[in-house]
Amino acid sequence: MLKTFLQKVAGGLTISALAVSSLAVARAPQVLAAAQDCGPNAIIYCGVTDLNNLKAKYRENQAGNVDDVYRHFGIANEAAMDGVVKGRVTKSGDVFVGTQKVATGAQSAGRKNLPGSTKLPGIEAYKRPTNVSFRSESLEAFVQMRGGSFKFAVLLACGNPVTAKPVVKPKPTPTPTPQPEPKQPGLEIKKDVRVAGDTDWQQEVEADPGAEVEYRITVENTGETDLENLEIQDSLPEGVSFDDVDLEGSDEAGQFQVSDLVGGGIELGSLAKGDEIEIQFTVTVGTEVDACEEPLQNVAFAQADDVPEEEDDALVKVCQPEEPEEEETPEVLGVQTPPSGKMPETGAAVAGVFSVTSILGFAAYKLKEFYSLFLR
């Protein structure tokens, strides 16, 4: 009877412990964990754990194009990662630091061509909205904020970079007074190219391997008001190189270098209504580049407050020269001179030799017959 009583007490304690444990689990806050993604879509295989680990794997340059992919997402180099903070990116496209939403419309990179993806120029990688590639509702990320504005993010699970439109900080609202209808901002960008030495700018040109080509970016304020916080970035195709010199064109461009433009982009402040800014720079096409079927695509981007990002491209077709066909040496027909001291082995010569031999043989036979008769 005592044994039965102890069993009942033990069973009751077990049920109570399970109930308390269930309540504790139910009330525990969700902790966002960065599971390692070692799949084929990861830009950095198995992701990153901290900033030092991110920099180390960036230097390893897995698959030979991590730096190229990052450059397309505004991450110019390793130093650009300094100062990142922990945050998260949601499947719906929002970027958070703590509880503050810092960007919207997020798009991430990946190595797989999922539906809704856009191929990055010259790289075997793709760009697509997070609602296409995310399986989870949100993922941990390193978020770069500069001047209180979102610049880029890197997902910890896979090292895939993320771009998004920064949330514009609301300006203090003045005392309400009757206001005319607000003027609308407008932004237009044009990208063209020419072979060095030519005078005409075009949207597409043909160039030889090793040639220099010049790119031009023209950004115009087509709206009814000034553009604020204008940013311009250029994405170079694979297979070209450049000297890191000052940009040419408008005076405002001269304070930046080519690496600034093709890296994280340049910030030009405001652009007055009706004004435009022009940027020019030169690149050299690699001698081994073969872009005859699919031209090199150079894309320029521009964005400013209260206007959507605009982009335009220029194309350079590069064909390798055709190798000349080897000419076959014609066969020489005719009589060949025999080696010195030797008679040609012709039918007539053989027949002559045979005749002489036959005559000598016959003479020898008759001479033998004559001696036989004489000695007898």
Side-chain angles (χ1 to χ4, degrees), residues 69-118:
V69 174
Y70 273 39
R71 193 176 295 115
H72 279 282
F73 283 73
I75 309 174
N77 47 43
E78 181 179 325
M81 306 172 194
D82 292 337
V84 295
V85 296
K86 280 286 188 71
R88 60 188 175 95
V89 181
T90 69
K91 187 172 184 177
S92 60
D94 295 328
V95 183
F96 288 85
V97 174
T99 59
Q100 181 184 5
K101 183 190 294 187
V102 296
T104 60
Q107 296 190 65
S108 66
R111 297 195 183 278
K112 294 181 66 177
N113 186 10
L114 302 176
S117 297
T118 301

Side-chain angles (χ1 to χ4, degrees), residues 123-140:
I123 306 176
E124 287 302 319
Y126 301 85
K127 179 180 181 181
R128 59 285 185 106
T130 52
N131 62 3
V132 171
S133 56
F134 276 29
R135 296 181 181 177
S136 306
E137 290 302 315
S138 64
L139 291 174
E140 276 190 313

Side-chain angles (χ1 to χ4, degrees), residues 10 23 40 362:
L23 288 173
F362 179 77

Side-chain angles (χ1 to χ4, degrees), residues 90 144 151 248 302:
T90 69
Q144 182 62 278
K151 294 300 177 184
E248 299 180 355

Side-chain angles (χ1 to χ4, degrees), residues 255-309:
Q255 59 184 313
F256 300 98
Q257 294 184 305
V258 178
S259 60
D260 299 322
L261 178 68
V262 301
I266 60 176
E267 299 180 1
L268 295 169
S270 62
L271 184 63
K273 179 182 67 173
D275 284 356
E276 69 177 25
I277 185 168
E278 182 179 295
I279 300 172
Q280 296 182 25
F281 63 97
T282 303
V283 303
T284 302
V285 179
T287 56
E288 302 299 322
V289 170
D290 188 353
C292 203
E293 296 296 330
E294 184 177 347
L296 299 176
Q297 183 186 36
N298 177 235
V299 186
F301 306 85
Q303 66 176 12
D305 291 349
D306 304 319
V307 293
E309 182 181 79

Side-chain angles (χ1 to χ4, degrees), residues 116-313:
S117 297
T118 301
K119 188 177 182 300
L120 296 178
I123 306 176
E124 287 302 319
Y126 301 85
K127 179 180 181 181
R128 59 285 185 106
T130 52
N131 62 3
V132 171
S133 56
F134 276 29
R135 296 181 181 177
S136 306
E137 290 302 315
S138 64
L139 291 174
E140 276 190 313
F142 287 128
V143 181
Q144 182 62 278
M145 303 291 293
R146 292 282 172 80
S149 180
F150 171 85
K151 294 300 177 184
F152 62 82
V154 177
L155 301 176
L156 272 67
C158 52
N160 294 2
V162 174
T163 184
K165 183 173 179 60
V167 172
V168 179
K169 294 182 178 180
K171 298 179 180 179
T173 305
T175 303
T177 55
Q179 296 289 330
E181 185 175 347
K183 297 179 179 180
Q184 297 299 318
L187 174 64
E188 184 177 287
I189 184 171
K190 183 179 181 182
K191 185 66 182 287
D192 42 26
V193 63
R194 68 185 179 189
V195 178
D198 292 349
T199 56
D200 295 333
W201 293 97
Q202 303 177 63
Q203 201 275 328
E204 181 175 357
V205 297
E206 292 187 12
D208 295 329
E212 288 188 342
V213 295
E214 300 172 345
Y215 287 116
R216 180 177 68 173
I217 304 170
T218 306
V219 177
E220 182 181 0
N221 183 349
T222 59
E224 302 171 330
T225 184
D226 294 350
L227 288 174
E228 300 297 335
N229 296 320
L230 175 63
E231 297 182 17
I232 303 173
Q233 183 185 13
D234 190 273
S235 180
L236 284 178
E238 186 177 3
V240 302
S241 60
F242 60 87
D243 292 330
D244 197 12
V245 296
D246 293 342
L247 295 172
E248 299 180 355
S250 302
D251 293 339
E252 298 90 338
Q255 59 184 313
F256 300 98
Q257 294 184 305
V258 178
S259 60
D260 299 322
L261 178 68
V262 301
I266 60 176
E267 299 180 1
L268 295 169
S270 62
L271 184 63
K273 179 182 67 173
D275 284 356
E276 69 177 25
I277 185 168
E278 182 179 295
I279 300 172
Q280 296 182 25
F281 63 97
T282 303
V283 303
T284 302
V285 179
T287 56
E288 302 299 322
V289 170
D290 188 353
C292 203
E293 296 296 330
E294 184 177 347
L296 299 176
Q297 183 186 36
N298 177 235
V299 186
F301 306 85
Q303 66 176 12
D305 291 349
D306 304 319
V307 293
E309 182 181 79
E310 299 290 340
E311 65 179 65
D312 194 27
D313 66 0

